[in-house]
Amino acid sequence: MKVLAIIALVILLGACSNKDWRTASRESAGLALNPVTDTQASIEVYAADAFSWRGWFAVHTWLAVKQENDPEYTVYEVVGWRVNSGLPALREYQTATPDRFWYGAKPDKVLSIQGDKATELIPKITAAVKRYPWADEYTLFPGPNSNTFPAWVGLQVPELELDMPLRAIGSGYAD
């Protein structure tokens, strides 16, 4: 029986579509508004299956904001392997494609706000990001992790009405 369980596990692990992070897709999923042609302010939250076998159980979430007329989004996310390299877990970067595949996994849009409401909420979001208490920490379970971060921002900015996905393991740590 033990041998069968090991064989089943090996088969399941071998079935992962995103086994090699170096070659996994990071292309745009085509979900985000083009920041050059759509100049309104925008807030987006995305979720994609976590990398490798973790994706069977959990998602990785991140958020992106774009001020009116900005040519790129500012993306905020928490990534565990940064801590192992001596860097903060919280990462911020600029991109025209905030909806990129998460190392082979196509994201879904969790939240999307545009226009005046986004313009009003973006300063509150950026202030919350600066106050994130676990910016230098990452723990797969129970958190803080990649899902704790947007959940925490959502608690700080309740006007977002952010409803985290069920598989956002670690989002409850923000409470």
Side-chain angles (χ1 to χ4, degrees):
M1 190 62 144
K2 192 175 188 178
V3 173
L4 288 176
I6 292 171
I7 291 171
L9 182 62
V10 168
I11 290 170
L12 286 172
L13 290 175
C16 290
S17 61
N18 55 351
K19 291 181 276 190
D20 185 358
W21 62 269
R22 291 176 293 265
T23 59
S25 175
R26 294 287 282 147
E27 294 181 54
S28 170
L31 302 173
L33 300 173
N34 181 331
V36 175
T37 58
D38 195 329
T39 60
Q40 64 186 329
S42 183
I43 300 167
E44 305 283 332
V45 178
Y46 297 99
D49 288 348
F51 183 71
S52 188
W53 61 268
R54 293 171 198 87
W56 298 335
F57 308 102
V59 292
H60 169 83
T61 55
W62 65 97
L63 61 95
V65 299
K66 183 188 80 66
Q67 293 281 8
E68 185 173 6
N69 296 317
D70 278 358
E72 293 184 311
Y73 290 81
T74 300
V75 174
Y76 302 102
E77 67 183 340
V78 165
V79 183
W81 58 77
R82 290 177 49 87
V83 174
N84 298 335
S85 301
L87 299 169
L90 179 57
R91 178 178 180 223
E92 173 184 337
Y93 63 94
Q94 307 293 315
T95 182
T97 56
D99 60 341
R100 295 186 298 170
F101 277 60
W102 178 250
Y103 297 99
K106 184 178 180 180
D108 292 314
K109 227 183 246 194
V110 174
L111 177 74
S112 183
I113 300 172
Q114 282 80 38
D116 292 340
K117 185 174 181 183
T119 298
E120 174 190 329
L121 295 179
I122 289 171
K124 294 178 181 185
I125 292 169
T126 55
V129 168
K130 289 177 185 172
R131 295 190 317 269
Y132 182 60
W134 303 289
D136 296 318
E137 299 176 45
Y138 186 95
T139 304
L140 185 63
F141 182 81
N145 61 31
S146 66
N147 298 313
T148 308
F149 170 66
W152 189 86
V153 171
L155 291 171
Q156 305 308 302
V157 187
E159 303 93 328
L160 286 171
E161 299 179 28
L162 178 59
D163 186 21
M164 294 294 287
L166 180 64
R167 293 190 312 134
I169 295 171
S171 61
Y173 191 88
D175 294 335

